[in-house]
Every structure is written in C-alpha cells, then in structure tokens.
Amino acid sequence: MENEDFDLDGIQKRMSGALNSLKSDFHGLRTGRASSAMLDSITVEVYGNHIPINQCATINVPESRMVTVNVWDKSNVALVEKAIISSGLGINPVSEGSILRLPIPELNEERRKELSKLAGSYAEQARIAVRNVRRDGMDKIKRLKNASMSDDDAKIWSDEIQELTNSSISTIDKTLEEKQAEIMQI
C-alpha cells in the first residue's frame, strides 16, 4: 500500500485548510456582538497598496456593542472609514478625530436571514475547495496507476481520499449548522 509518490497527508492538510478558511470567514460574520475579528477581512487602500485594516489601525472592543478603530495616521481616517462602509458589514462608523467608533446595532430578522444565507455560501465555497482537492488526489492516483501503482493500491488510496472528503464535508455542514443557529438565535 505504500507509495512514496502519493501524499495523503498533503491532501488532508489541504482539506483542513478549506475548513480553517471557512471558520475564519465565519468569524467575520457579524452576529450582534462586537468582535475585532469582524474587521479581519477588510482591506484599506493606503499609500497605494491594499493592506489589512489591522496594519494601519488598532482595533479594540471596549464594550459588547462597540468596536473602536484607532487609525495610526490621521490622514488615513477617511480611507479606513470608506473601507468599513463598503465592506458590507452594515456598520456606519462615527468619526472622532483619529478614532472611529463602530456601534453594533441589534440584528433584525431580515439581516439575520441575509447573514445565514452568506454563511451558507461560505460553506459551499469550502465544500467546492474540498471537492477540488479530492479531484486533484484522484487525478494523481490515475497518473500513478498508469505509471507504477497497482489496481489494489489505487482502490485503497481512492477510498482513503473519499473518506477524507466525506469527513471534511460533514464537518463543514456541522460548522454551518452551528453558525446559522448562532445567527438566528441572537
């Protein structure tokens, strides 16, 4: 069963990467509670480059319904504010000098449904990524089978990849259910 050209660990790591990316995307979804992770996906165009917001400002959560963004260079406050508004988070910053206050409003039913739908699309992207990893693994098995791998080894590796795929997609589905429940309960 051993074949040094086939790397099942690499496939498993790539599938885990899809799940980690999904969890990161979910942290950015606003659930009615303030979190600095909400702003992780926002990039700001400063000095001719797009950089993450946390590389041009300090983000704090002073209370459960407030995030503050302390912009280091006062000339970039308007750019950071514009990036937050255009991010789709539905938050309107209040500017106080170099500090932007982001009040987190209660989520209404319509916004919760939108966020739940967005969580579903993030999960589907993760499922697609896992299926692409499976396809790459299966293609590698076919190439190795044509070159040097036995039919039995190819079947064993194919089953292993399918098992990893099923497990990963099941974990993605479970993570999505938990996030959607969190969004709808708040």
Side-chain angles (χ1 to χ4, degrees):
M1 188 170 110
E2 290 301 315
N3 192 312
E4 57 196 358
D5 292 333
F6 189 73
D7 181 20
L8 189 65
D9 287 341
I11 289 173
Q12 188 171 11
K13 284 178 186 168
R14 288 176 59 199
M15 287 184 182
S16 294
L19 180 61
N20 292 337
S21 177
L22 174 67
K23 288 179 180 177
S24 174
D25 288 343
F26 280 176
H27 281 297
L29 285 180
R30 185 167 66 84
T31 58
R33 288 185 300 253
S35 166
S36 60
M38 310 169 36
L39 305 178
D40 284 351
S41 63
I42 297 177
T43 59
V44 183
E45 186 175 351
V46 292
Y47 312 119
N49 294 317
H50 286 276
I51 62 171
I53 194 168
N54 63 3
Q55 290 184 10
C56 64
T58 304
I59 301 168
N60 292 307
V61 183
E63 54 190 77
S64 65
R65 294 216 161 292
M66 179 71 67
V67 175
T68 59
V69 179
N70 187 356
V71 183
W72 300 331
D73 184 347
K74 198 168 184 165
S75 64
N76 293 331
V77 172
L79 298 171
V80 172
E81 186 175 8
K82 179 181 171 189
I84 293 169
I85 291 170
S86 64
S87 70
L89 287 175
I91 298 175
N92 292 316
V94 177
S95 180
E96 297 175 2
S98 64
I99 296 177
L100 296 173
R101 295 193 182 280
L102 311 179
I104 310 300
E106 287 282 341
L107 292 176
N108 61 27
E109 190 67 23
E110 181 181 329
R111 183 65 178 153
R112 287 181 199 185
K113 287 179 181 174
E114 286 175 24
L115 288 174
S116 183
K117 193 182 284 188
L118 183 59
S121 73
Y122 286 161
E124 184 57 28
Q125 290 170 359
R127 286 186 208 102
I128 289 169
V130 166
R131 290 183 196 120
N132 286 340
V133 172
R134 178 188 62 192
R135 187 194 65 228
D136 292 347
M138 295 298 196
D139 288 349
K140 174 91 174 182
I141 288 172
K142 284 179 190 170
R143 285 194 304 275
L144 290 172
K145 186 176 169 187
N146 291 337
S148 62
M149 187 182 280
S150 72
D151 288 346
D152 289 342
D153 284 350
K155 172 77 170 119
I156 290 169
W157 286 118
S158 296
D159 290 346
E160 287 283 328
I161 290 174
Q162 188 59 49
E163 196 175 300
L164 281 174
T165 302
N166 293 344
S167 172
S168 295
I169 288 181
S170 172
T171 304
I172 288 169
D173 291 343
K174 183 176 181 245
T175 306
L176 172 62
E177 284 177 29
E178 291 168 0
K179 187 62 175 184
Q180 286 179 325
E182 178 187 341
I183 290 169
M184 296 312 281
Q185 285 178 354
I186 298 172

